[in-house]
Amino acid sequence: MQVDIPGNCGNAPRHQIIIGIIEALHAKDFQALHERCAEDVRWEIAGSGKITGFEAIAQWAKSGTPTDSLKFSSVLTHGKEGSVDGICTDDSGASTHFSHVFQFASAGKNAKLKAVRSYFIPAAS
């Protein structure tokens, strides 16, 4: 999978953590994803509902189309919150804009991911 990261995403440790979470999600690297998530993590997908618990999130991610490339537009962090947006392209060439808003258990760099709110919008052809 090709990954394009903005040049300013190395200053805060949480930037790399957020990028790593989304990379693991798209690469279906569930071990890496599990290391960052609380067991009772909640993931809300706008327009589709809520998923609770790591195992349910892993099942949701497994059902997705394989990702060919990820392009991050921005990664923001503040305290125990963060966000990322960009565009992903699957192996058929279809692109989707994404935005994820994260809540961690604390502001510490080893804090587990507690909740995510995600938005997906298919790119115009």
Side-chain angles (χ1 to χ4, degrees), residues 1-2 13 23 32 44 66 71:
M1 175 174 59
Q2 180 182 347
E23 281 182 304
E44 179 181 354
K71 181 175 182 179

Side-chain angles (χ1 to χ4, degrees), residues 23-98:
E23 281 182 304
L25 179 71
H26 284 271
K28 301 182 189 319
D29 181 350
F30 300 112
Q31 181 176 344
L33 188 60
H34 190 255
E35 290 172 7
R36 292 291 182 189
C37 292
E39 284 301 320
D40 62 345
V41 62
R42 295 177 319 277
W43 206 301
E44 179 181 354
I45 298 102
S48 296
K50 297 178 184 179
I51 304 167
T52 302
F54 179 78
E55 290 303 321
I57 290 167
Q59 288 302 313
W60 164 71
K62 284 178 188 175
S63 70
T65 307
T67 301
D68 187 55
S69 68
L70 266 176
K71 181 175 182 179
F72 293 95
S73 298
S74 66
V75 181
L76 306 170
T77 63
H78 183 74
K80 65 179 188 173
E81 296 180 335
S83 68
V84 63
D85 75 317
I87 191 164
C88 61
T89 304
D90 67 22
D91 58 359
S92 74
S95 295
T96 302
H97 297 273
F98 64 84

